[in-house]
Amino acid sequence: MSNIHGINISEVPTSILPPVEVSAGLPVFIGRAPINLATSSEYVNKPLLAYTYDEAVKALGYTSDFENYELCEAIKVMFQLFAVSPIVFINVLDPTVHKKTETDKSVSITNAEVLLTQKGILLSSLAVKKTSAGQPLQISTDYAAAFNDDGQILISVLDGGAIEASQATLAVTYNYLDPSMVTEEDIIGGVSATTGKLTGMELINQIFPLFRLVPGQVVSPGWSQSPMIAAIMKAKVQNINGLFKAIAICDLDASSVGADIYTEAPAWKENNNYTDKMQIDCWPLVKLGDEVYRLS
């Protein structure tokens, strides 16, 4: 056998392409977020891939009101309690749809400040007047407005503005989020016949094309105790993008109309078809300190 000296190059045809690296256990949470506290309203029916707590809070907002804003519960549990990342969040609460309006509400000025106790106010919709019949005052000239740590808006009277020191009240108009307006249909979602836009659970199929990550767990805390929601979750995880499967993590109904004691849980599970092999059922709720969490 002859020896080969120096540098030699040989090329061999590639027989297969290397696989795309994915996070097989990627959690996907679907629910409501206090989008009025976010830096923008971009993430409405748009998947958010978040690697840190700060990233999620900036995009979705945060409040300790887990009953109305399930995605905040997921943010707290995944990032702060268990330090898991990345996470995909799908917020279905739309500030252009799920809102109510307060018109010319009279509020008192105390020490040149007004505290609006209504939660969920959309800051961009706030209009302040000296009287209900007056003209809107100018923000940054007559007053300043910002959220405090409790998610409430604090209005501060500015020196040199149009609000006199003797003014006792103001009239305010604003829109505010009403999370109770979100329905099961919003969580399930669909496809717009006119725009082709996807909403709700239909966005699960957008995660891999957007992020090149495969959903591994689909979770909808606060909603999956509904047999209809659970049935759709089971169907979705069976076939994601025509290629992948995931696990649906669901809560059994632990209320008085469901299974509020452990002996009732097996029967409720069977009677409501929470029996799929791609489904993990959770019961009951759990508590840490003063906060209550869904087990899913």
Side-chain angles (χ1 to χ4, degrees), residues 135-158:
Q135 294 298 313
L137 299 170
Q138 297 298 312
I139 191 168
S140 300
T141 300
D142 303 317
Y143 69 95
F147 289 106
N148 63 15
D149 292 339
D150 295 323
Q152 301 168 324
I153 288 182
L154 183 66
I155 300 173
S156 301
V157 176
L158 298 180

Side-chain angles (χ1 to χ4, degrees), residues 126-130 135-138 143 145 155 163 170-173:
L126 178 64
V128 180
K129 297 183 290 186
K130 295 172 67 174
Q135 294 298 313
L137 299 170
Q138 297 298 312
Y143 69 95
I155 300 173
I163 305 174
L170 294 172
V172 296
T173 296

Side-chain angles (χ1 to χ4, degrees), residues 3-148:
N3 294 324
I4 300 176
H5 300 281
I7 299 174
N8 294 273
I9 298 174
S10 62
E11 296 182 354
V12 177
T14 303
S15 57
I16 59 172
L17 294 174
V20 176
E21 293 185 4
V22 299
S23 176
L26 179 70
V28 179
F29 287 90
I30 305 163
R32 300 170 292 182
I35 199 69
N36 66 304
L37 300 176
T39 54
S40 73
S41 58
E42 176 184 1
Y43 288 100
V44 175
N45 280 306
K46 178 182 177 181
L48 165 69
L49 177 65
Y51 285 86
T52 66
Y53 174 84
D54 289 345
E55 187 179 0
V57 170
K58 287 179 181 178
L60 298 175
Y62 183 82
T63 174
S64 59
D65 182 6
F66 297 160
E67 186 65 28
N68 287 309
Y69 300 104
E70 304 86 11
L71 295 189
C72 294
E73 179 182 353
I75 290 172
K76 175 71 176 289
V77 170
M78 304 305 283
F79 289 122
Q80 290 195 325
L81 299 185
F82 292 103
V84 175
S85 69
I87 311 294
V88 172
F89 300 96
I90 298 175
N91 166 50
V92 303
L93 194 155
D94 188 341
T96 66
V97 177
H98 307 119
K99 65 176 181 179
K100 290 183 178 178
T101 301
E102 184 74 58
T103 303
D104 291 336
K105 180 179 181 179
S106 179
V107 292
S108 300
I109 302 174
T110 303
N111 296 325
E113 291 183 335
V114 174
L115 180 64
L116 302 182
T117 57
Q118 173 67 56
K119 297 291 186 70
I121 294 177
L122 300 166
L123 185 56
S124 60
S125 70
L126 178 64
V128 180
K129 297 183 290 186
K130 295 172 67 174
T131 65
S132 59
Q135 294 298 313
L137 299 170
Q138 297 298 312
I139 191 168
S140 300
T141 300
D142 303 317
Y143 69 95
F147 289 106
N148 63 15

Side-chain angles (χ1 to χ4, degrees), residues 19-24 26 49 51 206-215 241 243-244:
V20 176
E21 293 185 4
V22 299
S23 176
L26 179 70
L49 177 65
Y51 285 86
Q206 293 295 302
I207 293 170
F208 181 70
L210 286 172
F211 309 125
R212 308 307 289 175
L213 296 174
V214 177
N241 299 111
L243 297 171
F244 311 113

